[in-house]
Amino acid sequence: KQISQFFNSPKAKVPDRKRATILRTKNELIIYPMSKTTTGIGIATEPVLHLNISETPDKIVEGIFNAFASNQFDLPHPGQSEWKDFDRQYLKSIGFKSHYELHKNSICVSLEKHDKKLIFTPTINKIAKKTWSDLSSKSTEVLIDATTENIVHVLNVTFENCE
């Protein structure tokens, strides 16, 4: 199964607050939407975009806005027996074999688009728990109509604030 096969629901809607995640590894940026299930849990959905770390600001910002455009909510929440397969497909789609490898080799920024602004939030990498936690106190906002260079600058500063 691919990630999208868990969410074939006519009930899926588009939220007013759109979310995405950007992972940075040594050589690439990985951008994907963070959609909401019916229980309110944020969950990675497709498409997953892999960009070279040195990609142009225009391409990076285009990837961010494509992730926002693909954001959904009220997706069916995966059943207990589906999580292992979902997790395996998630790791495969972002190019990792395990959560340990993912967390050891990447940092993460949470993005939110709300009204006319983008909110960039650095995270704490919790390798032992296989997750990231937002550092909301270090969030940075930029207007949605800022230049692509400015948006990417804020993204890079946010990556520097990750722990």
Side-chain angles (χ1 to χ4, degrees):
K1 285 186 177 180
Q2 291 196 352
I3 293 174
S4 61
Q5 291 176 303
F6 290 92
F7 306 114
N8 294 326
S9 170
K11 196 175 171 188
K13 301 173 188 168
V14 178
D16 59 342
R17 286 181 178 254
K18 298 183 178 189
R19 292 180 171 83
T21 295
I22 300 184
L23 304 174
R24 186 175 79 184
T25 68
K26 183 178 180 181
N27 298 314
E28 76 179 336
L29 296 173
I30 304 165
I31 305 170
Y32 54 87
M34 284 299 291
S35 297
K36 290 273 185 177
T37 69
T38 52
T39 64
I41 300 294
I43 196 163
T45 52
E46 294 172 330
V48 177
L49 177 65
H50 294 257
L51 295 174
N52 187 291
I53 198 83
S54 61
E55 191 57 76
T56 66
D58 288 348
K59 284 285 188 190
I60 295 169
V61 173
E62 178 183 342
I64 291 169
F65 280 91
N66 285 341
F68 288 144
S70 300
N71 214 233
Q72 301 175 66
F73 76 101
D74 283 346
L75 295 172
H77 192 78
Q80 187 75 21
S81 63
E82 296 175 305
W83 277 110
K84 189 173 185 177
D85 192 37
F86 175 84
D87 198 45
R88 187 177 52 76
Q89 289 303 321
Y90 163 70
L91 289 169
K92 182 179 177 183
S93 73
I94 60 173
F96 289 93
K97 293 180 182 173
S98 70
H99 279 282
Y100 178 77
E101 179 189 14
L102 165 64
H103 287 270
K104 182 180 173 203
N105 296 299
S106 65
I107 55 177
C108 176
V109 166
S110 296
L111 295 167
E112 183 175 335
K113 178 178 167 253
H114 182 63
D115 294 328
K116 296 183 181 202
K117 60 187 172 186
L118 301 174
I119 304 163
F120 294 78
T121 304
T123 61
I124 297 173
N125 190 342
K126 296 186 174 185
I127 295 173
K129 292 187 177 186
K130 302 186 289 187
T131 191
W132 287 279
S133 293
D134 287 348
L135 290 167
S136 299
S137 64
K138 294 185 178 182
S139 292
T140 305
E141 296 180 4
V142 65
L143 292 177
I144 204 164
D145 58 358
T147 65
T148 57
E149 290 80 8
N150 191 27
I151 292 171
V152 171
H153 172 74
V154 171
L155 173 63
N156 287 328
V157 169
T158 306
F159 275 125
E160 291 171 15
N161 287 320
C162 291
E163 296 178 11

